[in-house]
Amino acid sequence: MVAAGIAAASALHYFTPPSLILWHNLFQRLYYLPIIYAAIYFGWRGGLAASTVSAVCYIPHILHAWHHMLDYAMNQYAEIIVFFLVGTVTGVLADRGMRQRRELAALNRELQDSFEQIKRADRLSAIGQLSASLAHEIRNPLASIDGATNLIESEQTPQEMRTASLAIIRKEVQRLNRLLTNLLDFARPRKPEFQTVHADRLIDAIVALAGHSAQQKGITLHKDVPANVPAFECDPEQMKQVLLNLTINAVQAMTGAGDIVLAARQHDSSVAISVRDQGPGIDAEDLDKIFNPFYTTKDAGTGLGLSVVYQIVNQHGGVVTAERNPEGGMTFSLTIPLDRRRGVEQEAHSGSR
């Protein structure tokens, strides 16, 4: 391209009559195009080489066509000097730009490597915390089972204590089974099977399922769903699991009688469903940990319930949040897109970050 540009500018000079000076002035400027191109792509050496070739091609024309016009010829020679200046300066600037781009590329690679190392370290740290928490959660039931087994094996143990020990074993086995079930739900969540669901019917099902447990503690479940809340797309069984988990947590958190409100509202292109209780609430410094695996404030909790809630809502392209109520208690809210495709796109985008 550089050679073709210089050849074209030179040919225009040689084949245009000298009387057309205006055209020759224009053709002379055409040399700058291949000179600048060569300087940008090949650095100052390319700019200098293109300037030299242009001068070699142009000087014979000056000697032949303008020997009788000394002043004009001198101007053309001066223009050739500008060829070299433009080619050299542009090339130097291009070289500097290329060096900066290489340095930025190297810096970007270093940042990417550092980021990958941080992610690997983060994953290893998470695995370590998960393993330690899982070992802790398994060790306690095993210790209880071992102690109960020793009592049963002892010939001096009364029959009543043997019966109580069997009950302990059964209780701890159920606890381990619940732990493994929650762990599998967390580790290998089932893909949502989307259906169109109405929020009021979903909340009705939760009130029916958790109402008896709530009544035993003197707690009343209230539904607050305006008629204008539209249906949305979700996996109804998974969403019942999420809301039932939040509702049971609210019931267990409250130490006395009171109210739990399950509400739904439309927010732009999403439906927000909230569970509001009147319990003691969660300390502010613990709010950023409650969705972590195995984090729990309950003595008998596995610490996986809210992690599963977070994962299911995330699979729906939604967001789950927790905030303290001004008058006490907590409000857990999940925001689910009305459109399944929008939710899938949001979930995919979240996963790529």
Side-chain angles (χ1 to χ4, degrees), residues 134 138 175-185 304:
L134 185 59
I138 292 176
R175 179 179 174 184
L176 286 172
N177 183 62
R178 187 167 63 252
L179 171 64
L180 291 176
T181 300
N182 290 338
L183 183 61
L184 289 175
D185 288 341
L304 284 172

Side-chain angles (χ1 to χ4, degrees), residues 280-292:
I282 299 173
D283 294 338
E285 60 269 18
D286 294 332
L287 283 177
D288 60 341
K289 306 174 187 175
I290 58 176
F291 295 109
N292 293 344

Side-chain angles (χ1 to χ4, degrees), residues 206-208 210-212 214 219-223 247 251 258-262:
I206 301 305
V207 171
H212 180 68
I219 298 171
T220 304
L221 301 181
H222 298 276
K223 182 180 77 170
T247 304
V251 171
D259 299 316
I260 293 176
V261 180
L262 288 83

Side-chain angles (χ1 to χ4, degrees), residues 68-342:
H68 60 285
M69 298 175 61
L70 186 59
D71 291 341
Y72 185 78
M74 293 304 294
N75 287 334
Q76 306 313 300
Y77 290 127
E79 192 78 23
I80 290 175
I81 295 174
V82 179
F83 287 175
F84 287 95
L85 292 174
V86 169
T88 303
V89 172
T90 304
V92 169
L93 294 177
D95 283 341
R96 182 180 299 175
M98 284 189 285
R99 282 197 301 271
Q100 291 177 346
R101 285 194 293 272
R102 285 195 295 268
E103 291 172 358
L104 287 174
L107 181 60
N108 184 58
R109 285 194 296 271
E110 292 178 4
L111 288 174
Q112 289 288 348
D113 292 341
S114 299
F115 182 65
E116 290 299 325
Q117 291 176 1
I118 291 172
K119 287 202 300 184
R120 283 195 293 271
D122 208 23
R123 286 195 292 268
L124 290 174
S125 175
I127 291 172
Q129 293 176 1
L130 185 65
S131 301
S133 300
L134 185 59
H136 174 75
E137 291 296 330
I138 292 176
R139 184 181 290 115
N140 290 339
L142 288 179
S144 299
I145 292 173
D146 183 61
T149 304
N150 290 333
L151 288 175
I152 293 174
E153 289 178 344
S154 176
E155 296 179 357
Q156 300 176 354
T157 303
Q159 183 60 38
E160 293 180 359
M161 190 171 292
R162 290 175 185 271
T163 304
S165 297
L166 288 173
I168 291 174
I169 292 174
R170 186 177 297 107
K171 176 183 176 183
E172 295 303 329
V173 167
Q174 292 174 350
R175 179 179 174 184
L176 286 172
N177 183 62
R178 187 167 63 252
L179 171 64
L180 291 176
T181 300
N182 290 338
L183 183 61
L184 289 175
D185 288 341
F186 173 74
R188 292 183 300 179
R190 176 176 61 83
K191 289 186 178 181
E193 298 177 3
F194 288 94
Q195 300 178 27
T196 301
V197 177
H198 291 271
D200 59 342
R201 297 177 186 174
L202 198 61
I203 292 177
D204 283 339
I206 301 305
V207 171
L209 289 171
H212 180 68
S213 298
Q215 288 177 0
Q216 288 182 332
K217 294 185 65 175
I219 298 171
T220 304
L221 301 181
H222 298 276
K223 182 180 77 170
D224 179 15
V225 184
N228 62 350
V229 175
F232 64 102
E233 293 188 337
C234 71
D235 184 313
E237 294 305 317
Q238 287 188 342
M239 203 53 55
K240 286 179 184 178
Q241 180 184 355
V242 166
L243 291 175
L244 183 60
N245 194 315
L246 295 177
T247 304
I248 294 299
N249 282 353
V251 171
Q252 293 175 349
M254 293 176 60
T255 56
D259 299 316
I260 293 176
V261 180
L262 288 83
R265 295 288 188 275
Q266 180 181 3
H267 288 304
D268 298 327
S269 58
S270 302
V271 168
I273 303 177
S274 62
V275 179
R276 183 184 184 95
D277 65 57
Q278 296 177 333
I282 299 173
D283 294 338
E285 60 269 18
D286 294 332
L287 283 177
D288 60 341
K289 306 174 187 175
I290 58 176
F291 295 109
N292 293 344
F294 294 106
Y295 181 83
T296 181
T297 57
K298 303 176 185 177
D299 294 334
T302 64
L304 284 172
L306 289 180
S307 298
V308 173
V309 165
Y310 180 88
Q311 202 164 50
I312 291 175
V313 174
N314 187 60
Q315 279 191 308
H316 282 72
V319 178
V320 57
T321 59
E323 60 181 354
R324 292 172 57 87
N325 302 327
E327 69 279 6
M330 294 293 299
T331 296
F332 283 82
S333 302
L334 32 137
T335 305
I336 308 295
L338 292 172
D339 186 358
R340 170 189 175 184
R341 289 169 296 178
R342 184 189 299 270

Side-chain angles (χ1 to χ4, degrees), residues 26-100:
L26 175 62
F27 298 153
Q28 186 184 41
R29 272 62 182 183
L30 293 179
Y31 283 114
Y32 288 110
L33 296 178
I35 290 172
I36 293 174
Y37 184 90
I40 290 174
Y41 281 90
F42 304 107
W44 67 269
R45 294 180 180 83
L48 190 60
S51 301
T52 302
V53 175
S54 298
V56 169
C57 293
Y58 187 40
I59 287 176
H61 174 73
I62 298 174
L63 294 173
H64 174 73
W66 313 113
H67 63 277
H68 60 285
M69 298 175 61
L70 186 59
D71 291 341
Y72 185 78
M74 293 304 294
N75 287 334
Q76 306 313 300
Y77 290 127
E79 192 78 23
I80 290 175
I81 295 174
V82 179
F83 287 175
F84 287 95
L85 292 174
V86 169
T88 303
V89 172
T90 304
V92 169
L93 294 177
D95 283 341
R96 182 180 299 175
M98 284 189 285
R99 282 197 301 271
Q100 291 177 346

